[in-house]
Amino acid sequence: MAGSTAADRGREVRRRLLRVAAELIAERGWTAVSTRMLAERAGVAPGVVHYHFSSVRALLAEAALGVIGDVVEQAGPALARAATPGEALGLMMGLLEDHDGRDATSLLFTEAYLAATRDEGLRRSLAEVMTGFRRRLAGHLTEHAVPFPEATAAVLAAAIDGIVLHRALGPGLEASDVAPVLHRLVTPLDRHAPDDDRPPPRKAGESA
Amino acid sequence: MAGSTAADRGREVRRRLLRVAAELIAERGWTAVSTRMLAERAGVAPGVVHYHFSSVRALLAEAALGVIGDVVEQAGPALARAATPGEALGLMMGLLEDHDGRDATSLLFTEAYLAATRDEGLRRSLAEVMTGFRRRLAGHLTEHAVPFPEATAAVLAAAIDGIVLHRALGPGLEASDVAPVLHRLVTPLDRHAPDDDRPPPRKAGESA
DNA sequence: GACCGTCCTGGACGATTGACCAAATTCTAC
DNA sequence: GTAGAATTTGGTCAATCGTCCAGGACGGTC
């Protein structure tokens, strides 16, 4: 009864393999993830990997795209709900606080970017996701009279990834430090913003 | 004649291995570079690799640090010579034009960042290099009354790497697009700069 | 009961991996 | 000349790689 037991368990194993793949990409690096590693950590026999996926390469790509898609599709609508660019930036700073550059998600993003340079299909899929995010962010910036909205959106997205990347080398790039800097990018004009959009107050003693 | 032939040839082989290692890291990915690949492309027998280096891991780290050190030590002094932050930014935009995210140097940087999260020694060395660069850039920004100089320097450095990373996914992030955006970060105040510090006019030509 | 499709097991295949080494070679120093 | 150091060679070693496959296990349908 209950629909199907075998098929359900199969889907569950498939999901588990995807989750484990995302972990291992971050831990060992994209090209260092092996069939047997995946199987062992997922608690299945090695053959299961090639039963559910055509190749390890395909498994890694699907796993990475899944995680990245989730993050972007979670951040996108939240961004659209922000009343001001400053508020939207605050949301992105929240992302920065969650990811210190050494966590699985941060590393997965970077590993995926690199893998995309060696896998044309992955590159196209990834470009699609990032273009969608940039477009949404650019639309938000346009509505609030931020100059160079498309370029600013692209720079903001890239800066987030770059900051996460650099943070992996060590401390010293806290969200509270970079927020006032990035805030200058989303200030509507050279003068003060018409709506409430001030830079977050500096906490004393940090970056001096 | 001329001092030494054997030792010189040895050093030459060592240098060649380092150069080849940098190429292969970019082409195949850090963890996918093998002893025999290195030897074959360098035109030597496989055993030579472990004669000159204690391990492949050590060879890759030394190769990456060498290239990155060269780039930073070339950009650093040039940055110090810039008369205005806008000019300094122009130099960094030149770097952006040289590296489209798919070239060997761009990929090597990112691969090294990732490898550093799995190699404590490499992480420390890399952090030292990047801290030096940030400090130099921050000093330059401080002299020109740019607000949040340390944080701005860190964000600029990270943004460059992030932009290069995103550019690997496809076109649409030209230096001419991002320059006006980043320029807002190095504007001394909300009003116009006292010295000549306008966004660099865009020529279709080359970089510097 | 027999039958069938889905899922999984465990091992086989040839190729490749990092590391290592004895022997050959080449050069320097005496 | 000859001794000795430095460099290179070509191969071995156990381990691991991705992929594939014959067969077992399980649940649902006759």
Side-chain angles (χ1 to χ4, degrees), chain B residues 137-197:
Chain B
L137 180 52
H140 180 79
L141 297 179
T142 302
E143 287 175 18
H144 294 84
V146 173
F148 319 115
E150 282 85 9
T152 299
V155 168
L156 273 180
I160 296 292
D161 281 330
I163 289 167
V164 166
L165 197 59
H166 278 215
R167 284 226 289 176
L169 292 184
L173 260 176
E174 304 309 314
S176 57
D177 295 325
V178 303
V181 178
L182 290 182
H183 191 272
R184 302 185 74 196
L185 290 185
V186 298
T187 303
L189 291 173
D190 275 5
R191 60 203 87 237
H192 273 12
D195 49 1
D196 174 30
D197 197 23

Side-chain angles (χ1 to χ4, degrees), chain A residues 26-27 29 31 102 110-111 113 118 123 147 151 154 158 161-162 165-166 169 173 177 181 184-185 187 190 202 207, chain B residues 26-27 29 31 102 110-111 113 118 123 147-148 150-151 154 158 161-162 165-166 169 173 177 181 184-185 187 190:
Chain A
E27 278 179 37
T31 56
R102 318 183 82 118
T110 310
E111 291 280 357
Y113 290 146
R118 299 168 194 122
R123 189 198 64 81
D161 281 331
L165 197 59
H166 277 216
L169 293 184
L173 260 176
D177 294 325
V181 177
R184 304 186 72 195
L185 291 185
T187 303
D190 276 5
R202 296 278 298 144
S207 79
Chain B
E27 277 179 37
T31 56
R102 318 183 84 117
T110 311
E111 291 280 358
Y113 290 146
R118 301 168 192 120
R123 190 199 63 80
F148 319 115
E150 282 85 9
D161 281 330
L165 197 59
H166 278 215
L169 292 184
L173 260 176
D177 295 325
V181 178
R184 302 185 74 196
L185 290 185
T187 303
D190 275 5

Side-chain angles (χ1 to χ4, degrees), chain A residues 123-135:
Chain A
R123 189 198 64 81
R124 281 167 46 90
S125 305
L126 218 46
E128 206 170 330
V129 173
M130 296 311 296
T131 298
F133 177 77
R134 280 213 302 246
R135 201 185 337 259

Side-chain angles (χ1 to χ4, degrees), chain B:
Chain B
M1 57 174 75
S4 56
T5 313
D8 275 349
R9 284 208 312 143
R11 265 191 289 272
E12 217 287 311
V13 167
R14 216 189 107 99
R15 263 194 301 270
R16 204 178 343 155
L17 279 171
L18 287 170
R19 185 171 50 79
V20 164
E23 289 175 16
L24 285 175
I25 288 171
E27 277 179 37
R28 308 296 188 97
W30 191 281
T31 56
V33 179
S34 73
T35 308
R36 289 161 183 82
M37 268 182 194
L38 291 159
E40 186 187 10
R41 186 170 299 196
V44 296
V48 179
V49 174
H50 282 82
Y51 175 80
H52 286 291
F53 300 92
S54 63
S55 68
V56 173
R57 182 195 189 91
L59 165 54
L60 298 186
E62 184 172 336
L65 278 172
V67 172
I68 292 175
D70 284 351
V71 171
V72 169
E73 286 184 15
Q74 185 184 354
L79 223 68
R81 262 183 264 114
T84 69
E87 199 174 313
L89 192 61
L91 290 174
M92 296 175 74
M93 291 305 101
L95 279 181
L96 258 192
E97 282 176 6
D98 290 342
H99 304 302
D100 63 354
R102 318 183 84 117
D103 60 286
T105 305
S106 301
L107 296 173
L108 182 70
F109 265 76
T110 311
E111 291 280 358
Y113 290 146
L114 282 176
T117 68
R118 301 168 192 120
D119 182 331
E120 175 59 15
L122 176 61
R123 190 199 63 80
R124 282 167 45 88
S125 304
L126 218 46
E128 205 169 331
V129 173
M130 297 310 296
T131 299
F133 177 76
R134 281 212 301 248
R135 198 180 345 254
R136 234 183 315 209
L137 180 52
H140 180 79
L141 297 179
T142 302
E143 287 175 18
H144 294 84
V146 173
F148 319 115
E150 282 85 9
T152 299
V155 168
L156 273 180
I160 296 292
D161 281 330
I163 289 167
V164 166
L165 197 59
H166 278 215
R167 284 226 289 176
L169 292 184
L173 260 176
E174 304 309 314
S176 57
D177 295 325
V178 303
V181 178
L182 290 182
H183 191 272
R184 302 185 74 196
L185 290 185
V186 298
T187 303
L189 291 173
D190 275 5
R191 60 203 87 237
H192 273 12
D195 49 1
D196 174 30
D197 197 23
R198 302 180 304 103
R202 243 29 232 139
K203 338 195 315 186
E206 80 309 6
S207 68

